[in-house]
């Protein structure tokens, strides 16, 4: 069983948010939260909240155990771009693109693999 959470129109560029999402893909959920807490990127706070929401959805909606959850899929899509203008010299104007992103995290329950020696 899998649970998902999504944030839309997050004010992070998709390229920078993908760097953070790539850190947690495939990790156990508790380990992914620890990685995100200490990641220096600004998008890590938003991704942490989405991951926490996905874990809460799995616990509340599907009665899954928090310890067996793994980040099975996570991706970032590009949202709409806010177009702004910056005044420049001699009456010119330069466009500034303020990009947004849609961040999706899916966690699923997997049995922990037993350690073999």
């Amino acid at each position: 069983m899998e649970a998902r959470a999504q944030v839309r129109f997050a004010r992070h560029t998709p390229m920078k948010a993908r760097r953070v999402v790539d850190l947690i893909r495939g990790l156990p959920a508790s380990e992914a939260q620890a990685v995100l807490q200490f990641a220096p990127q600004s998008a890590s706070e938003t991704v942490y909240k989405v991951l926490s929401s996905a874990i809460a959805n799995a616990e509340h909606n599907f009665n899954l155990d928090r310890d067996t959850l793994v980040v099975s899929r996570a991706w970032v899509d590009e949202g709409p771009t806010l177009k702004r203008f910056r005044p420049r010299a001699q009456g010119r104007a330069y466009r500034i693109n303020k990009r947004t992103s849609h961040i999706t995290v899916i966690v699923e329950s997997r049995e922990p693999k037993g350690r073999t020696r």
Side-chain angles (χ1 to χ4, degrees):
M1 185 59 62
E2 61 183 31
R4 81 169 39 209
Q6 184 179 32
V7 64
R8 301 189 67 212
F9 310 107
R11 280 289 292 120
H12 301 285
T13 64
M15 207 158 108
K16 292 178 182 178
R18 282 185 192 114
R19 287 179 51 201
V20 176
V21 168
D22 290 343
L23 292 173
I24 65 165
R25 195 176 292 120
L27 291 179
S30 58
E31 189 177 328
Q33 282 184 318
V35 167
L36 289 174
Q37 276 185 327
F38 298 105
Q41 292 85 3
S42 66
S44 61
E45 184 179 349
T46 305
V47 176
Y48 180 84
K49 287 182 180 182
V50 176
L51 176 61
S52 298
S53 179
I55 292 170
N57 288 342
E59 288 179 333
H60 183 266
N61 297 341
F62 303 111
N63 295 323
L64 299 177
D65 185 20
R66 172 186 282 266
D67 298 330
T68 63
L69 294 178
V70 175
V71 179
S72 61
R73 290 185 285 164
W75 67 89
V76 177
D77 292 327
E78 189 170 347
T81 301
L82 304 173
K83 296 168 179 72
R84 301 292 183 256
F85 290 96
R86 167 84 58 202
R88 302 301 290 195
Q90 298 179 1
R92 294 183 177 90
Y94 282 177
R95 178 186 277 182
I96 294 178
N97 292 324
K98 295 182 177 274
R99 300 181 188 276
T100 61
S101 55
H102 305 315
I103 303 169
T104 306
V105 175
I106 297 179
V107 294
E108 70 179 5
S109 180
R110 292 187 189 159
E111 292 302 318
K113 296 180 182 177
R115 293 188 176 189
T116 57
R117 294 180 188 219

mmCIF file of all heavy atoms in Angstrom, residues 33-60:
data_model
loop_
_atom_site.group_PDB
_atom_site.id
_atom_site.type_symbol
_atom_site.label_atom_id
_atom_site.label_comp_id
_atom_site.label_asym_id
_atom_site.label_seq_id
_atom_site.Cartn_x
_atom_site.Cartn_y
_atom_site.Cartn_z
ATOM 1 N N GLN A 33 13.927 11.687 6.577
ATOM 2 C CA GLN A 33 13.646 12.868 7.392
ATOM 3 C C GLN A 33 14.920 13.397 8.043
ATOM 4 O O GLN A 33 15.120 14.607 8.115
ATOM 5 C CB GLN A 33 12.612 12.538 8.466
ATOM 6 C CG GLN A 33 11.197 12.486 7.950
ATOM 7 C CD GLN A 33 10.204 12.259 9.066
ATOM 8 O OE1 GLN A 33 10.424 11.444 9.960
ATOM 9 N NE2 GLN A 33 9.087 12.974 9.009
ATOM 10 N N ALA A 34 15.779 12.508 8.503
ATOM 11 C CA ALA A 34 17.035 12.937 9.113
ATOM 12 C C ALA A 34 17.931 13.626 8.095
ATOM 13 O O ALA A 34 18.575 14.633 8.396
ATOM 14 C CB ALA A 34 17.753 11.737 9.724
ATOM 15 N N VAL A 35 17.963 13.116 6.874
ATOM 16 C CA VAL A 35 18.774 13.726 5.815
ATOM 17 C C VAL A 35 18.270 15.131 5.512
ATOM 18 O O VAL A 35 19.053 16.076 5.369
ATOM 19 C CB VAL A 35 18.755 12.846 4.544
ATOM 20 C CG1 VAL A 35 19.320 13.592 3.355
ATOM 21 C CG2 VAL A 35 19.541 11.567 4.779
ATOM 22 N N LEU A 36 16.944 15.271 5.441
ATOM 23 C CA LEU A 36 16.368 16.571 5.088
ATOM 24 C C LEU A 36 16.548 17.608 6.202
ATOM 25 O O LEU A 36 16.660 18.800 5.918
ATOM 26 C CB LEU A 36 14.884 16.416 4.763
ATOM 27 C CG LEU A 36 14.586 15.699 3.459
ATOM 28 C CD1 LEU A 36 13.092 15.469 3.325
ATOM 29 C CD2 LEU A 36 15.113 16.474 2.274
ATOM 30 N N GLN A 37 16.578 17.167 7.442
ATOM 31 C CA GLN A 37 16.749 18.119 8.542
ATOM 32 C C GLN A 37 18.103 18.819 8.475
ATOM 33 O O GLN A 37 18.222 19.970 8.873
ATOM 34 C CB GLN A 37 16.610 17.410 9.884
ATOM 35 C CG GLN A 37 15.189 17.256 10.331
ATOM 36 C CD GLN A 37 15.109 16.662 11.719
ATOM 37 O OE1 GLN A 37 15.934 15.852 12.105
ATOM 38 N NE2 GLN A 37 14.093 17.070 12.466
ATOM 39 N N PHE A 38 19.110 18.117 7.974
ATOM 40 C CA PHE A 38 20.449 18.686 7.971
ATOM 41 C C PHE A 38 20.936 19.081 6.581
ATOM 42 O O PHE A 38 22.095 19.444 6.416
ATOM 43 C CB PHE A 38 21.434 17.701 8.609
ATOM 44 C CG PHE A 38 21.095 17.434 10.044
ATOM 45 C CD1 PHE A 38 20.502 16.244 10.426
ATOM 46 C CD2 PHE A 38 21.336 18.390 11.010
ATOM 47 C CE1 PHE A 38 20.178 16.001 11.746
ATOM 48 C CE2 PHE A 38 21.014 18.169 12.337
ATOM 49 C CZ PHE A 38 20.441 16.969 12.702
ATOM 50 N N ALA A 39 20.065 19.010 5.573
ATOM 51 C CA ALA A 39 20.446 19.431 4.223
ATOM 52 C C ALA A 39 20.485 20.952 4.176
ATOM 53 O O ALA A 39 19.579 21.622 4.681
ATOM 54 C CB ALA A 39 19.457 18.890 3.191
ATOM 55 N N PRO A 40 21.516 21.541 3.576
ATOM 56 C CA PRO A 40 21.652 22.996 3.595
ATOM 57 C C PRO A 40 20.761 23.727 2.586
ATOM 58 O O PRO A 40 20.640 24.941 2.656
ATOM 59 C CB PRO A 40 23.130 23.215 3.265
ATOM 60 C CG PRO A 40 23.503 22.028 2.455
ATOM 61 C CD PRO A 40 22.692 20.889 2.994
ATOM 62 N N GLN A 41 20.136 23.026 1.653
ATOM 63 C CA GLN A 41 19.333 23.685 0.635
ATOM 64 C C GLN A 41 18.038 24.232 1.225
ATOM 65 O O GLN A 41 17.471 23.649 2.142
ATOM 66 C CB GLN A 41 18.988 22.704 -0.504
ATOM 67 C CG GLN A 41 20.159 22.276 -1.331
ATOM 68 C CD GLN A 41 20.917 21.108 -0.743
ATOM 69 O OE1 GLN A 41 20.528 20.572 0.274
ATOM 70 N NE2 GLN A 41 22.014 20.738 -1.376
ATOM 71 N N SER A 42 17.567 25.328 0.657
ATOM 72 C CA SER A 42 16.351 25.947 1.197
ATOM 73 C C SER A 42 15.106 25.121 0.889
ATOM 74 O O SER A 42 14.124 25.171 1.631
ATOM 75 C CB SER A 42 16.188 27.359 0.644
ATOM 76 O OG SER A 42 15.953 27.320 -0.746
ATOM 77 N N ALA A 43 15.123 24.351 -0.184
ATOM 78 C CA ALA A 43 13.959 23.541 -0.547
ATOM 79 C C ALA A 43 13.795 22.337 0.372
ATOM 80 O O ALA A 43 12.738 21.700 0.365
ATOM 81 C CB ALA A 43 14.081 23.074 -1.996
ATOM 82 N N SER A 44 14.810 22.030 1.172
ATOM 83 C CA SER A 44 14.724 20.841 2.019
ATOM 84 C C SER A 44 13.636 20.982 3.083
ATOM 85 O O SER A 44 13.037 19.990 3.488
ATOM 86 C CB SER A 44 16.077 20.550 2.670
ATOM 87 O OG SER A 44 16.472 21.613 3.489
ATOM 88 N N GLU A 45 13.349 22.191 3.521
ATOM 89 C CA GLU A 45 12.284 22.396 4.505
ATOM 90 C C GLU A 45 10.920 22.043 3.910
ATOM 91 O O GLU A 45 10.108 21.365 4.548
ATOM 92 C CB GLU A 45 12.284 23.843 4.984
ATOM 93 C CG GLU A 45 11.274 24.120 6.064
ATOM 94 C CD GLU A 45 11.317 25.566 6.547
ATOM 95 O OE1 GLU A 45 12.257 26.288 6.201
ATOM 96 O OE2 GLU A 45 10.381 25.959 7.267
ATOM 97 N N THR A 46 10.677 22.468 2.686
ATOM 98 C CA THR A 46 9.410 22.164 2.024
ATOM 99 C C THR A 46 9.283 20.676 1.751
ATOM 100 O O THR A 46 8.223 20.079 1.980
ATOM 101 C CB THR A 46 9.294 22.954 0.708
ATOM 102 O OG1 THR A 46 9.465 24.342 0.991
ATOM 103 C CG2 THR A 46 7.941 22.744 0.064
ATOM 104 N N VAL A 47 10.346 20.048 1.274
ATOM 105 C CA VAL A 47 10.316 18.613 0.999
ATOM 106 C C VAL A 47 10.130 17.834 2.298
ATOM 107 O O VAL A 47 9.426 16.813 2.329
ATOM 108 C CB VAL A 47 11.602 18.175 0.255
ATOM 109 C CG1 VAL A 47 11.627 16.676 0.050
ATOM 110 C CG2 VAL A 47 11.709 18.883 -1.085
ATOM 111 N N TYR A 48 10.723 18.308 3.392
ATOM 112 C CA TYR A 48 10.545 17.666 4.702
ATOM 113 C C TYR A 48 9.069 17.680 5.106
ATOM 114 O O TYR A 48 8.547 16.686 5.606
ATOM 115 C CB TYR A 48 11.396 18.383 5.752
ATOM 116 C CG TYR A 48 11.278 17.798 7.133
ATOM 117 C CD1 TYR A 48 12.052 16.704 7.509
ATOM 118 C CD2 TYR A 48 10.389 18.328 8.065
ATOM 119 C CE1 TYR A 48 11.949 16.156 8.777
ATOM 120 C CE2 TYR A 48 10.280 17.786 9.331
ATOM 121 C CZ TYR A 48 11.065 16.700 9.683
ATOM 122 O OH TYR A 48 10.943 16.157 10.933
ATOM 123 N N LYS A 49 8.404 18.803 4.891
ATOM 124 C CA LYS A 49 6.985 18.902 5.247
ATOM 125 C C LYS A 49 6.126 17.970 4.386
ATOM 126 O O LYS A 49 5.180 17.349 4.878
ATOM 127 C CB LYS A 49 6.499 20.337 5.091
ATOM 128 C CG LYS A 49 7.013 21.262 6.157
ATOM 129 C CD LYS A 49 6.455 22.657 5.983
ATOM 130 C CE LYS A 49 6.970 23.583 7.059
ATOM 131 N NZ LYS A 49 6.414 24.932 6.930
ATOM 132 N N VAL A 50 6.472 17.856 3.098
ATOM 133 C CA VAL A 50 5.717 16.968 2.213
ATOM 134 C C VAL A 50 5.928 15.521 2.634
ATOM 135 O O VAL A 50 4.984 14.725 2.673
ATOM 136 C CB VAL A 50 6.136 17.180 0.742
ATOM 137 C CG1 VAL A 50 5.430 16.206 -0.169
ATOM 138 C CG2 VAL A 50 5.839 18.594 0.307
ATOM 139 N N LEU A 51 7.175 15.160 2.956
ATOM 140 C CA LEU A 51 7.465 13.798 3.402
ATOM 141 C C LEU A 51 6.734 13.487 4.709
ATOM 142 O O LEU A 51 6.156 12.401 4.862
ATOM 143 C CB LEU A 51 8.968 13.613 3.576
ATOM 144 C CG LEU A 51 9.429 12.271 4.119
ATOM 145 C CD1 LEU A 51 9.021 11.139 3.186
ATOM 146 C CD2 LEU A 51 10.921 12.274 4.335
ATOM 147 N N SER A 52 6.720 14.423 5.643
ATOM 148 C CA SER A 52 6.015 14.220 6.906
ATOM 149 C C SER A 52 4.518 14.042 6.676
ATOM 150 O O SER A 52 3.862 13.228 7.333
ATOM 151 C CB SER A 52 6.258 15.395 7.848
ATOM 152 O OG SER A 52 7.613 15.507 8.158
ATOM 153 N N SER A 53 3.975 14.778 5.732
ATOM 154 C CA SER A 53 2.556 14.654 5.400
ATOM 155 C C SER A 53 2.262 13.288 4.783
ATOM 156 O O SER A 53 1.235 12.671 5.083
ATOM 157 C CB SER A 53 2.148 15.768 4.449
ATOM 158 O OG SER A 53 0.797 15.654 4.103
ATOM 159 N N ALA A 54 3.158 12.797 3.923
ATOM 160 C CA ALA A 54 2.962 11.479 3.316
ATOM 161 C C ALA A 54 3.017 10.384 4.378
ATOM 162 O O ALA A 54 2.230 9.422 4.337
ATOM 163 C CB ALA A 54 4.023 11.237 2.249
ATOM 164 N N ILE A 55 3.917 10.527 5.346
ATOM 165 C CA ILE A 55 4.009 9.551 6.432
ATOM 166 C C ILE A 55 2.735 9.584 7.277
ATOM 167 O O ILE A 55 2.181 8.538 7.639
ATOM 168 C CB ILE A 55 5.257 9.831 7.293
ATOM 169 C CG1 ILE A 55 6.524 9.551 6.488
ATOM 170 C CG2 ILE A 55 5.239 9.002 8.566
ATOM 171 C CD1 ILE A 55 7.787 10.030 7.155
ATOM 172 N N ALA A 56 2.252 10.786 7.577
ATOM 173 C CA ALA A 56 1.019 10.915 8.360
ATOM 174 C C ALA A 56 -0.173 10.341 7.592
ATOM 175 O O ALA A 56 -1.047 9.695 8.190
ATOM 176 C CB ALA A 56 0.774 12.379 8.712
ATOM 177 N N ASN A 57 -0.217 10.540 6.282
ATOM 178 C CA ASN A 57 -1.297 9.968 5.472
ATOM 179 C C ASN A 57 -1.254 8.447 5.521
ATOM 180 O O ASN A 57 -2.298 7.782 5.594
ATOM 181 C CB ASN A 57 -1.187 10.444 4.024
ATOM 182 C CG ASN A 57 -1.554 11.896 3.868
ATOM 183 O OD1 ASN A 57 -2.193 12.485 4.739
ATOM 184 N ND2 ASN A 57 -1.129 12.494 2.775
ATOM 185 N N ALA A 58 -0.054 7.878 5.466
ATOM 186 C CA ALA A 58 0.078 6.421 5.506
ATOM 187 C C ALA A 58 -0.380 5.865 6.855
ATOM 188 O O ALA A 58 -1.063 4.832 6.911
ATOM 189 C CB ALA A 58 1.532 6.030 5.243
ATOM 190 N N GLU A 59 -0.031 6.556 7.930
ATOM 191 C CA GLU A 59 -0.424 6.086 9.258
ATOM 192 C C GLU A 59 -1.920 6.239 9.499
ATOM 193 O O GLU A 59 -2.578 5.327 9.999
ATOM 194 C CB GLU A 59 0.333 6.863 10.335
ATOM 195 C CG GLU A 59 1.789 6.509 10.438
ATOM 196 C CD GLU A 59 2.503 7.315 11.510
ATOM 197 O OE1 GLU A 59 2.079 8.444 11.812
ATOM 198 O OE2 GLU A 59 3.485 6.797 12.040
ATOM 199 N N HIS A 60 -2.448 7.380 9.118
ATOM 200 C CA HIS A 60 -3.849 7.680 9.428
ATOM 201 C C HIS A 60 -4.821 6.988 8.475
ATOM 202 O O HIS A 60 -5.817 6.402 8.912
ATOM 203 C CB HIS A 60 -4.072 9.189 9.400
ATOM 204 C CG HIS A 60 -5.450 9.595 9.782
ATOM 205 N ND1 HIS A 60 -6.441 9.803 8.859
ATOM 206 C CD2 HIS A 60 -6.012 9.810 10.997
ATOM 207 C CE1 HIS A 60 -7.553 10.136 9.482
ATOM 208 N NE2 HIS A 60 -7.314 10.155 10.781
#
